[in-house]
Structures are given as structure tokens and as C-alpha cells.
Amino acid sequence: QVQLVESEGGLVQPGGSLRLSCAASGSIFSINVMGWYRQAPGKQRELVATMASGGSANYADSVKGRFTISRDNAKNTVYLQMNSLKPEDTAVYYCNLDQSRPWGRGNYWGKGTLVTVSS
């Protein structure tokens, strides 16, 4: 089993910043991709940002230039630096991990952390 533990979100004013972290532990073999998704009330879960093991990053258009994803491969941890936050960034943010195992791929989700952007 793989456990993904996300840092606490919180309430942030518009224009503010917040950094999320997600640490993976347990049966880790070879991580392919770690990343962040989010789900706003009444909406489907959507990709925010992902980073492959080689370091290449992928961002949703809505967060490009404002959010930065990074990884510490030695700690199996992924970070999401969120700047210039907007009310529409309000959502539950979920950490995701995709790995290769001897018997096949595995995909895992964190429990989610709420980020609220409001004045």
C-alpha cells in the first residue's frame, strides 16, 4: 500500500500565496508521475499540475504562470507553490502518484486538502 499525506490547505485572501506538500510512503517502487488535481464544488476533478520523474512539468492553462510544481525525489515528496491565488482556485486539492511495480502500474490518491480563496 501507498500512503499520500498532504499538508493542510487553508483560507487565503485573493492575491495571496500558499504552498502544499504531499509525502508518499509505503510500498514505493518506481514513481513515474506525481501531481496535483483539484475539485471545486459542483465540478469534476481536474488536473492542476504534474511532474514526471525526469522533471518535466505539465500545468493546466488556468494556473500557468501562477503555480509551480516541484519534487524532492529523495523524499518522495511533491510540492505545489500557488501564487496570485484567485477565488476560482477554491477547491479540494488532491495529490496523485503513478508508479511502476513489478506486477504492473499503480495509481494512488491522497485524501485531499481544502484551499479557500476569499476575502
mmCIF file of all heavy atoms in Angstrom, residues 67-95:
data_model
loop_
_atom_site.group_PDB
_atom_site.id
_atom_site.type_symbol
_atom_site.label_atom_id
_atom_site.label_comp_id
_atom_site.label_asym_id
_atom_site.label_seq_id
_atom_site.Cartn_x
_atom_site.Cartn_y
_atom_site.Cartn_z
ATOM 1 N N PHE A 67 1.216 28.958 -10.584
ATOM 2 C CA PHE A 67 1.534 27.792 -9.758
ATOM 3 C C PHE A 67 2.836 27.161 -10.255
ATOM 4 O O PHE A 67 3.113 27.162 -11.453
ATOM 5 C CB PHE A 67 0.431 26.750 -9.842
ATOM 6 C CG PHE A 67 -0.871 27.137 -9.186
ATOM 7 C CD1 PHE A 67 -1.114 28.437 -8.746
ATOM 8 C CD2 PHE A 67 -1.860 26.178 -9.023
ATOM 9 C CE1 PHE A 67 -2.322 28.772 -8.161
ATOM 10 C CE2 PHE A 67 -3.072 26.498 -8.425
ATOM 11 C CZ PHE A 67 -3.305 27.805 -8.008
ATOM 12 N N THR A 68 3.590 26.618 -9.315
ATOM 13 C CA THR A 68 4.819 25.910 -9.644
ATOM 14 C C THR A 68 4.855 24.591 -8.902
ATOM 15 O O THR A 68 4.689 24.559 -7.673
ATOM 16 C CB THR A 68 6.059 26.731 -9.264
ATOM 17 O OG1 THR A 68 6.017 28.001 -9.942
ATOM 18 C CG2 THR A 68 7.327 25.991 -9.666
ATOM 19 N N ILE A 69 5.066 23.507 -9.640
ATOM 20 C CA ILE A 69 5.193 22.191 -9.037
ATOM 21 C C ILE A 69 6.664 21.820 -8.960
ATOM 22 O O ILE A 69 7.452 22.172 -9.846
ATOM 23 C CB ILE A 69 4.396 21.126 -9.833
ATOM 24 C CG1 ILE A 69 4.352 19.802 -9.073
ATOM 25 C CG2 ILE A 69 4.961 20.958 -11.245
ATOM 26 C CD1 ILE A 69 3.389 18.785 -9.690
ATOM 27 N N SER A 70 7.015 21.141 -7.878
ATOM 28 C CA SER A 70 8.388 20.671 -7.725
ATOM 29 C C SER A 70 8.373 19.349 -6.979
ATOM 30 O O SER A 70 7.367 19.004 -6.334
ATOM 31 C CB SER A 70 9.244 21.705 -6.992
ATOM 32 O OG SER A 70 8.728 21.958 -5.696
ATOM 33 N N ARG A 71 9.466 18.630 -7.089
ATOM 34 C CA ARG A 71 9.558 17.323 -6.430
ATOM 35 C C ARG A 71 10.899 17.177 -5.727
ATOM 36 O O ARG A 71 11.905 17.696 -6.182
ATOM 37 C CB ARG A 71 9.413 16.195 -7.458
ATOM 38 C CG ARG A 71 8.012 15.811 -7.785
ATOM 39 C CD ARG A 71 7.944 14.788 -8.907
ATOM 40 N NE ARG A 71 8.586 13.516 -8.545
ATOM 41 C CZ ARG A 71 8.526 12.429 -9.298
ATOM 42 N NH1 ARG A 71 7.885 12.465 -10.447
ATOM 43 N NH2 ARG A 71 9.115 11.326 -8.919
ATOM 44 N N ASP A 72 10.865 16.456 -4.611
ATOM 45 C CA ASP A 72 12.078 16.001 -3.943
ATOM 46 C C ASP A 72 12.048 14.486 -4.046
ATOM 47 O O ASP A 72 11.366 13.809 -3.273
ATOM 48 C CB ASP A 72 12.097 16.459 -2.482
ATOM 49 C CG ASP A 72 13.391 16.087 -1.772
ATOM 50 O OD1 ASP A 72 14.046 15.090 -2.177
ATOM 51 O OD2 ASP A 72 13.751 16.770 -0.814
ATOM 52 N N ASN A 73 12.753 13.958 -5.042
ATOM 53 C CA ASN A 73 12.690 12.525 -5.306
ATOM 54 C C ASN A 73 13.250 11.705 -4.141
ATOM 55 O O ASN A 73 12.783 10.597 -3.880
ATOM 56 C CB ASN A 73 13.441 12.188 -6.591
ATOM 57 C CG ASN A 73 12.737 12.719 -7.825
ATOM 58 O OD1 ASN A 73 11.512 12.841 -7.851
ATOM 59 N ND2 ASN A 73 13.505 13.038 -8.851
ATOM 60 N N ALA A 74 14.220 12.246 -3.448
ATOM 61 C CA ALA A 74 14.804 11.520 -2.319
ATOM 62 C C ALA A 74 13.796 11.341 -1.185
ATOM 63 O O ALA A 74 13.852 10.363 -0.439
ATOM 64 C CB ALA A 74 16.042 12.247 -1.808
ATOM 65 N N LYS A 75 12.863 12.282 -1.090
ATOM 66 C CA LYS A 75 11.853 12.236 -0.023
ATOM 67 C C LYS A 75 10.492 11.777 -0.533
ATOM 68 O O LYS A 75 9.526 11.748 0.226
ATOM 69 C CB LYS A 75 11.710 13.620 0.619
ATOM 70 C CG LYS A 75 12.955 14.103 1.334
ATOM 71 C CD LYS A 75 12.710 15.466 1.974
ATOM 72 C CE LYS A 75 13.944 15.945 2.725
ATOM 73 N NZ LYS A 75 13.725 17.279 3.350
ATOM 74 N N ASN A 76 10.425 11.449 -1.826
ATOM 75 C CA ASN A 76 9.137 11.057 -2.425
ATOM 76 C C ASN A 76 8.054 12.077 -2.108
ATOM 77 O O ASN A 76 6.923 11.736 -1.727
ATOM 78 C CB ASN A 76 8.708 9.666 -1.935
ATOM 79 C CG ASN A 76 9.615 8.568 -2.431
ATOM 80 O OD1 ASN A 76 10.192 8.660 -3.522
ATOM 81 N ND2 ASN A 76 9.772 7.533 -1.639
ATOM 82 N N THR A 77 8.407 13.327 -2.271
ATOM 83 C CA THR A 77 7.512 14.419 -1.914
ATOM 84 C C THR A 77 7.336 15.357 -3.099
ATOM 85 O O THR A 77 8.299 15.642 -3.822
ATOM 86 C CB THR A 77 8.067 15.199 -0.714
ATOM 87 O OG1 THR A 77 8.152 14.320 0.416
ATOM 88 C CG2 THR A 77 7.156 16.365 -0.347
ATOM 89 N N VAL A 78 6.115 15.817 -3.281
ATOM 90 C CA VAL A 78 5.809 16.784 -4.328
ATOM 91 C C VAL A 78 5.220 18.033 -3.670
ATOM 92 O O VAL A 78 4.517 17.940 -2.670
ATOM 93 C CB VAL A 78 4.841 16.191 -5.369
ATOM 94 C CG1 VAL A 78 3.480 15.874 -4.761
ATOM 95 C CG2 VAL A 78 4.700 17.110 -6.571
ATOM 96 N N TYR A 79 5.557 19.168 -4.238
ATOM 97 C CA TYR A 79 5.111 20.441 -3.702
ATOM 98 C C TYR A 79 4.326 21.203 -4.780
ATOM 99 O O TYR A 79 4.547 21.029 -5.974
ATOM 100 C CB TYR A 79 6.302 21.298 -3.274
ATOM 101 C CG TYR A 79 7.211 20.633 -2.285
ATOM 102 C CD1 TYR A 79 8.329 19.913 -2.719
ATOM 103 C CD2 TYR A 79 6.971 20.703 -0.920
ATOM 104 C CE1 TYR A 79 9.176 19.286 -1.818
ATOM 105 C CE2 TYR A 79 7.812 20.077 -0.007
ATOM 106 C CZ TYR A 79 8.901 19.377 -0.462
ATOM 107 O OH TYR A 79 9.742 18.756 0.440
ATOM 108 N N LEU A 80 3.434 22.070 -4.314
ATOM 109 C CA LEU A 80 2.725 22.958 -5.224
ATOM 110 C C LEU A 80 2.744 24.353 -4.616
ATOM 111 O O LEU A 80 2.099 24.602 -3.599
ATOM 112 C CB LEU A 80 1.279 22.503 -5.447
ATOM 113 C CG LEU A 80 0.495 23.309 -6.472
ATOM 114 C CD1 LEU A 80 1.067 23.065 -7.885
ATOM 115 C CD2 LEU A 80 -0.987 22.948 -6.446
ATOM 116 N N GLN A 81 3.526 25.228 -5.228
ATOM 117 C CA GLN A 81 3.571 26.621 -4.801
ATOM 118 C C GLN A 81 2.510 27.385 -5.584
ATOM 119 O O GLN A 81 2.566 27.428 -6.822
ATOM 120 C CB GLN A 81 4.958 27.228 -5.060
ATOM 121 C CG GLN A 81 5.072 28.693 -4.691
ATOM 122 C CD GLN A 81 4.939 28.938 -3.202
ATOM 123 O OE1 GLN A 81 5.520 28.229 -2.395
ATOM 124 N NE2 GLN A 81 4.169 29.963 -2.829
ATOM 125 N N MET A 82 1.576 27.954 -4.864
ATOM 126 C CA MET A 82 0.464 28.653 -5.503
ATOM 127 C C MET A 82 0.555 30.144 -5.171
ATOM 128 O O MET A 82 0.500 30.529 -4.009
ATOM 129 C CB MET A 82 -0.875 28.084 -5.003
ATOM 130 C CG MET A 82 -1.008 26.594 -5.235
ATOM 131 S SD MET A 82 -2.629 25.937 -4.757
ATOM 132 C CE MET A 82 -2.528 26.072 -2.978
ATOM 133 N N ASN A 83 0.730 30.938 -6.201
ATOM 134 C CA ASN A 83 0.817 32.389 -6.047
ATOM 135 C C ASN A 83 -0.336 33.063 -6.774
ATOM 136 O O ASN A 83 -0.995 32.457 -7.620
ATOM 137 C CB ASN A 83 2.149 32.898 -6.609
ATOM 138 C CG ASN A 83 3.351 32.334 -5.880
ATOM 139 O OD1 ASN A 83 3.305 32.043 -4.683
ATOM 140 N ND2 ASN A 83 4.456 32.161 -6.600
ATOM 141 N N SER A 84 -0.554 34.314 -6.451
ATOM 142 C CA SER A 84 -1.606 35.106 -7.102
ATOM 143 C C SER A 84 -2.929 34.342 -7.112
ATOM 144 O O SER A 84 -3.601 34.255 -8.151
ATOM 145 C CB SER A 84 -1.187 35.470 -8.535
ATOM 146 O OG SER A 84 0.022 36.200 -8.539
ATOM 147 N N LEU A 85 -3.278 33.821 -5.975
ATOM 148 C CA LEU A 85 -4.483 32.993 -5.895
ATOM 149 C C LEU A 85 -5.742 33.796 -6.179
ATOM 150 O O LEU A 85 -5.850 34.983 -5.836
ATOM 151 C CB LEU A 85 -4.573 32.335 -4.516
ATOM 152 C CG LEU A 85 -3.645 31.137 -4.339
ATOM 153 C CD1 LEU A 85 -3.427 30.814 -2.871
ATOM 154 C CD2 LEU A 85 -4.202 29.919 -5.067
ATOM 155 N N LYS A 86 -6.680 33.124 -6.825
ATOM 156 C CA LYS A 86 -7.959 33.724 -7.198
ATOM 157 C C LYS A 86 -9.098 32.956 -6.542
ATOM 158 O O LYS A 86 -8.939 31.770 -6.228
ATOM 159 C CB LYS A 86 -8.127 33.656 -8.717
ATOM 160 C CG LYS A 86 -7.001 34.282 -9.511
ATOM 161 C CD LYS A 86 -7.212 34.053 -11.005
ATOM 162 C CE LYS A 86 -6.080 34.653 -11.824
ATOM 163 N NZ LYS A 86 -6.285 34.420 -13.285
ATOM 164 N N PRO A 87 -10.238 33.578 -6.380
ATOM 165 C CA PRO A 87 -11.382 32.854 -5.792
ATOM 166 C C PRO A 87 -11.706 31.576 -6.559
ATOM 167 O O PRO A 87 -12.122 30.582 -5.939
ATOM 168 C CB PRO A 87 -12.513 33.880 -5.895
ATOM 169 C CG PRO A 87 -11.824 35.198 -5.797
ATOM 170 C CD PRO A 87 -10.533 35.014 -6.548
ATOM 171 N N GLU A 88 -11.492 31.582 -7.860
ATOM 172 C CA GLU A 88 -11.798 30.383 -8.649
ATOM 173 C C GLU A 88 -10.796 29.254 -8.423
ATOM 174 O O GLU A 88 -10.993 28.150 -8.949
ATOM 175 C CB GLU A 88 -11.878 30.713 -10.142
ATOM 176 C CG GLU A 88 -10.701 31.488 -10.686
ATOM 177 C CD GLU A 88 -10.976 32.989 -10.755
ATOM 178 O OE1 GLU A 88 -11.551 33.535 -9.777
ATOM 179 O OE2 GLU A 88 -10.605 33.610 -11.776
ATOM 180 N N ASP A 89 -9.752 29.498 -7.645
ATOM 181 C CA ASP A 89 -8.842 28.425 -7.261
ATOM 182 C C ASP A 89 -9.362 27.649 -6.051
ATOM 183 O O ASP A 89 -8.775 26.640 -5.654
ATOM 184 C CB ASP A 89 -7.454 28.985 -6.925
ATOM 185 C CG ASP A 89 -6.763 29.595 -8.123
ATOM 186 O OD1 ASP A 89 -6.808 28.981 -9.208
ATOM 187 O OD2 ASP A 89 -6.153 30.679 -7.966
ATOM 188 N N THR A 90 -10.438 28.119 -5.475
ATOM 189 C CA THR A 90 -11.030 27.425 -4.332
ATOM 190 C C THR A 90 -11.465 26.028 -4.726
ATOM 191 O O THR A 90 -12.227 25.851 -5.681
ATOM 192 C CB THR A 90 -12.236 28.210 -3.795
ATOM 193 O OG1 THR A 90 -11.790 29.469 -3.279
ATOM 194 C CG2 THR A 90 -12.944 27.436 -2.692
ATOM 195 N N ALA A 91 -10.964 25.044 -4.001
ATOM 196 C CA ALA A 91 -11.245 23.643 -4.334
ATOM 197 C C ALA A 91 -10.594 22.748 -3.291
ATOM 198 O O ALA A 91 -9.775 23.204 -2.480
ATOM 199 C CB ALA A 91 -10.707 23.301 -5.719
ATOM 200 N N VAL A 92 -10.946 21.483 -3.355
ATOM 201 C CA VAL A 92 -10.197 20.469 -2.631
ATOM 202 C C VAL A 92 -9.074 20.002 -3.550
ATOM 203 O O VAL A 92 -9.335 19.616 -4.698
ATOM 204 C CB VAL A 92 -11.089 19.285 -2.218
ATOM 205 C CG1 VAL A 92 -10.247 18.213 -1.524
ATOM 206 C CG2 VAL A 92 -12.208 19.762 -1.295
ATOM 207 N N TYR A 93 -7.871 20.068 -3.068
ATOM 208 C CA TYR A 93 -6.697 19.698 -3.845
ATOM 209 C C TYR A 93 -6.252 18.286 -3.443
ATOM 210 O O TYR A 93 -6.078 18.001 -2.250
ATOM 211 C CB TYR A 93 -5.574 20.696 -3.613
ATOM 212 C CG TYR A 93 -5.811 22.001 -4.351
ATOM 213 C CD1 TYR A 93 -6.803 22.879 -3.945
ATOM 214 C CD2 TYR A 93 -5.065 22.326 -5.479
ATOM 215 C CE1 TYR A 93 -7.053 24.055 -4.640
ATOM 216 C CE2 TYR A 93 -5.293 23.496 -6.177
ATOM 217 C CZ TYR A 93 -6.291 24.361 -5.749
ATOM 218 O OH TYR A 93 -6.538 25.525 -6.441
ATOM 219 N N TYR A 94 -6.069 17.444 -4.453
ATOM 220 C CA TYR A 94 -5.708 16.054 -4.239
ATOM 221 C C TYR A 94 -4.331 15.766 -4.815
ATOM 222 O O TYR A 94 -4.031 16.143 -5.955
ATOM 223 C CB TYR A 94 -6.709 15.129 -4.907
ATOM 224 C CG TYR A 94 -8.107 15.188 -4.343
ATOM 225 C CD1 TYR A 94 -9.040 16.061 -4.884
ATOM 226 C CD2 TYR A 94 -8.491 14.373 -3.282
ATOM 227 C CE1 TYR A 94 -10.331 16.126 -4.380
ATOM 228 C CE2 TYR A 94 -9.773 14.426 -2.768
ATOM 229 C CZ TYR A 94 -10.683 15.308 -3.318
ATOM 230 O OH TYR A 94 -11.960 15.363 -2.812
ATOM 231 N N CYS A 95 -3.535 15.070 -4.046
ATOM 232 C CA CYS A 95 -2.248 14.586 -4.517
ATOM 233 C C CYS A 95 -2.444 13.255 -5.246
ATOM 234 O O CYS A 95 -3.304 12.447 -4.852
ATOM 235 C CB CYS A 95 -1.326 14.386 -3.313
ATOM 236 S SG CYS A 95 0.319 13.742 -3.683
#
